[in-house]
Amino acid sequence: MSSRFWTASVNRVTGGTLHTVAGSNGPEVIPPPNSLRIEPPEKEGDGYLLLRLDPSGTCLADTWHATLEEAQAQAEFEYEVAPDAWAEKSA
């Protein structure tokens, strides 16, 4: 996987989507994330993963997006993260 990725802080949970995980009594809503990370594709055309992270950096949920711009647009829809709020980093 590429060592390049993008990070951003969550501004506000808009309520536009609801992420759940399988629980012992059915679906359980995940807690609001503290930060977001976008992972690039391993190879061209694989798409991008938008990761929702807890304060320790553990992934709470992820979604797949065809482009970086689509992943950023989803983050803006869910958490009001503007496209220019992303910091590009490398591992």
Side-chain angles (χ1 to χ4, degrees), residues 1-45:
M1 181 171 278
S2 171
S3 61
R4 179 178 66 146
F5 60 94
W6 296 264
T7 62
S9 295
V10 170
N11 290 327
R12 180 180 82 84
V13 177
T14 66
T17 59
L18 183 66
H19 295 281
T20 61
V21 294
S24 58
N25 294 324
E28 296 177 6
V29 176
I30 67 163
N34 160 279
S35 62
L36 305 171
R37 179 173 171 143
I38 297 175
E39 293 281 346
E42 289 186 27
K43 61 182 182 185
E44 192 66 32

Side-chain angles (χ1 to χ4, degrees), residues 1-7 37-52 61-75 86 88-89:
M1 181 171 278
S2 171
S3 61
R4 179 178 66 146
F5 60 94
W6 296 264
T7 62
R37 179 173 171 143
I38 297 175
E39 293 281 346
E42 289 186 27
K43 61 182 182 185
E44 192 66 32
D46 277 355
Y48 292 77
L49 285 177
L50 172 57
L51 309 174
R52 291 132 183 99
D62 63 62
T63 51
W64 179 92
H65 303 274
T67 66
L68 175 61
E69 293 77 18
E70 287 178 13
Q72 290 174 330
Q74 186 64 32
W86 292 93
E88 185 173 347
K89 299 186 177 187

